[in-house]
Amino acid sequence: MEIKGIDVSSYQGNPDWAKVSNSGTKFAILRIHQKSGTDASFEHNYKGCKSNGILIGGYKYSYALTPAQAIDEAENVLSVLCGRGLDFPVFYDLEWSQQRSLGKQAVENIAVAFLTRIKKAGYKVGIYCNLDWYNNVLSGVLKQYDCWIARYPVNDNGSVQERLRPNVGAGWQYSSKGKVPGISGNVDMDVFYKDYRGTMQKGETKMVKISNCGHDEHGRYAGGKAGDQTGTEYQIMNWYSRPWLCVLRFNDAKIATMIADMATKAAQNNLIGYDQGTAGNSNDRYSFWRHLKASNYDPAQITVACESDCSASTAAIVKGAGYRLNNARLKAVSIYLTTRNMRAAMKIAGAKVLTDRKYLTSGDYLKAGDILLNDNHHVAIAVTTGAKANTLSASTILSKTPKWVGKVTANTLNVRTWAGTEYAQLKSYPTLAKGNLVDVCDTIKAKDGASWYYIRIAGKYFGFVSTKYICKV
């Protein structure tokens, strides 16, 4: 099979993607990040491709001279993507002469560092290089990745030159001087032999959705116009790894539901944009709170363009939920919170701080209304529930009050972090021995219907054990 497309960057300006799509272009590989920051056209290009049914991939030109620098480049790419879906891989562009001078092994170490980090975040990965680099610089390890090979003639006129088609690689960049309706000037032309739509890739389905207030219309943190100019300043997107350092969860289902609903409506209202401007300026990030307060604490009712940022929007939503639910602790939340003091503030407001790895490395165990926090950088709100989350209602929240004393009847009994053998053992007290006494606080059904006790051990450790191996004393 062959699928034809293009690759673009800010050099192509802002293409008319409707015209590009009508020309028969099936995919576009977008430069995501450049040396000085986010590619100036990336947001326009991503939105345009999405709106016009063009498959999307990405690439990053590498200037890394060490694996550590390569990981930094990967983090920059992930920060721009913010968990958004791609159809094609993220390609690592290897062509810088200073990298080549380091030698084959050093190039391998640099590339693997980048590709591993991107792959860990859920994206497909590949390598872009010319045929000379493929033959003489790429190691055997790097050739195992999907390679997108550039090769075109000196007298390039935009057409396919079959005599130059490489006999290796998943894709071929066959020209740098193509002409496509909707794009001024030259554009790179490509053909791929692989349809990535049928592969496991971070996309737009089966992912937990988060409400993310992340950047202004220029991909920057300040200086834009009030309101969401692109539909991406404050948006609903797939879960992604920031990485998150904790999840803040309100176990009261009414609170969690209200937070998720408000966060969804805020992201869907394009009068609410992103800016880190300080109070009193035209780009004041607290203007969202003022208009929320004046709109019955309902983001959908806001009719005036306003701004917020990740922490100010989260604080406003939690505080607004407090007024809608008449909850004093939520009402007391400060709208001036930052990511650095949000963990402590939300804990005071009644949130549980979750730091188990399963909550931080995927969206599978998240619940709608969970607040995802990186104390040093960012915060977002989950608005859907993960496939492996336990969706307990408010009436079934487990009691921590002991009801009776039980004795272990098994020689060794595993203590789990939740009801079911699929869950990990409790780190603080992984097993119990025969004859050990525990406080039984509650009972819950596992996914397979089996009954489990919620127990307290030594007066302070809480976990789950099968009811089969506990008898009442």
Side-chain angles (χ1 to χ4, degrees), residues 154-165:
V154 175
N155 58 343
D156 183 8
N157 62 9
S159 64
V160 175
Q161 301 293 317
E162 284 295 340
R163 62 187 175 82
L164 297 179
R165 186 187 292 268

Side-chain angles (χ1 to χ4, degrees), residues 81-387:
L81 287 175
C82 280
R84 284 177 282 193
L86 296 178
D87 305 291
F88 275 57
V90 174
F91 290 95
Y92 203 32
D93 184 344
L94 300 176
E95 55 181 293
W96 193 32
S97 60
Q98 287 192 42
Q99 280 183 336
R100 183 171 185 150
S101 67
L102 298 174
K104 184 176 290 192
Q105 186 60 54
V107 170
E108 177 187 313
N109 295 341
I110 289 167
V112 168
F114 176 92
L115 298 167
T116 300
R117 179 66 188 97
I118 297 294
K119 190 174 182 180
K120 186 178 179 181
Y123 294 97
K124 285 287 183 181
V125 295
I127 293 171
Y128 168 89
C129 65
N130 62 34
L131 188 60
D132 176 54
W133 267 68
Y134 182 88
N135 289 332
N136 300 303
V137 182
L138 264 58
S139 66
V141 169
L142 295 185
K143 288 179 180 178
Q144 293 177 23
Y145 290 91
D146 282 0
C147 290
W148 169 27
I149 308 295
R151 192 185 189 195
Y152 33 85
V154 175
N155 58 343
D156 183 8
N157 62 9
S159 64
V160 175
Q161 301 293 317
E162 284 295 340
R163 62 187 175 82
L164 297 179
R165 186 187 292 268
N167 59 7
V168 293
W172 172 31
Q173 184 187 74
Y174 63 84
S175 174
S176 64
K177 294 184 179 179
K179 302 291 184 183
V180 173
I183 298 178
S184 299
N186 295 330
V187 64
D188 294 338
M189 306 296 290
D190 304 283
V191 59
F192 268 78
Y193 318 117
K194 185 172 184 178
D195 188 346
Y196 290 97
R197 290 172 294 182
T199 60
M200 291 299 294
Q201 162 90 337
K202 179 170 281 189
E204 295 301 324
T205 60
K206 298 181 182 179
M207 293 287 293
V208 164
K209 302 294 182 181
I210 63 173
S211 177
N212 190 79
C213 189
H215 55 76
D216 71 9
E217 63 267 31
H218 304 296
R220 297 193 293 261
Y221 295 129
K225 295 180 180 179
D228 192 339
Q229 308 300 317
T230 62
T232 62
E233 296 183 44
Y234 200 162
Q235 63 176 319
I236 303 299
M237 58 169 56
N238 290 333
W239 177 94
Y240 67 98
S241 175
R242 184 62 177 96
W244 307 111
L245 302 182
C246 74
V247 167
L248 305 169
R249 173 174 292 174
F250 289 94
N251 280 326
D252 186 320
K254 290 181 179 179
I255 294 175
T257 300
M258 180 64 74
I259 289 173
D261 179 69
M262 291 177 67
T264 299
K265 290 177 177 176
Q268 292 173 339
N269 187 341
N270 284 343
L271 288 171
I272 308 168
Y274 179 97
D275 209 295
Q276 285 189 354
T278 53
N281 296 312
S282 60
N283 59 345
D284 180 358
R285 61 181 155 179
Y286 306 112
S287 57
F288 168 52
W289 165 249
R290 292 197 298 272
H291 291 296
L292 183 67
K293 187 176 180 181
S295 303
N296 302 309
Y297 303 103
D298 182 354
Q301 294 184 31
I302 291 177
T303 58
V304 181
C306 56
E307 301 280 63
S308 195
D309 68 2
C310 65
S311 52
S313 62
T314 300
I317 285 168
V318 173
K319 189 177 184 74
Y323 279 94
R324 292 178 68 173
L325 297 171
N326 195 27
N327 182 299
R329 287 203 288 179
L330 299 186
K331 288 181 184 179
V333 169
S334 170
I335 63 165
Y336 301 108
L337 290 180
T338 68
T339 56
R340 294 183 183 278
N341 58 13
M342 187 163 289
R343 185 188 300 221
M346 293 301 171
K347 188 175 181 180
I348 292 171
K352 184 178 180 181
V353 180
L354 306 175
T355 56
D356 284 357
R357 189 173 182 272
K358 67 179 182 180
Y359 298 112
L360 310 179
T361 56
S362 80
D364 289 347
Y365 293 92
L366 296 180
K367 296 182 181 181
D370 282 351
I371 297 171
L372 291 65
L373 178 66
N374 180 314
D375 309 72
N376 302 313
H377 296 292
H378 193 50
V379 61
I381 297 175
V383 296
T384 62
T385 294

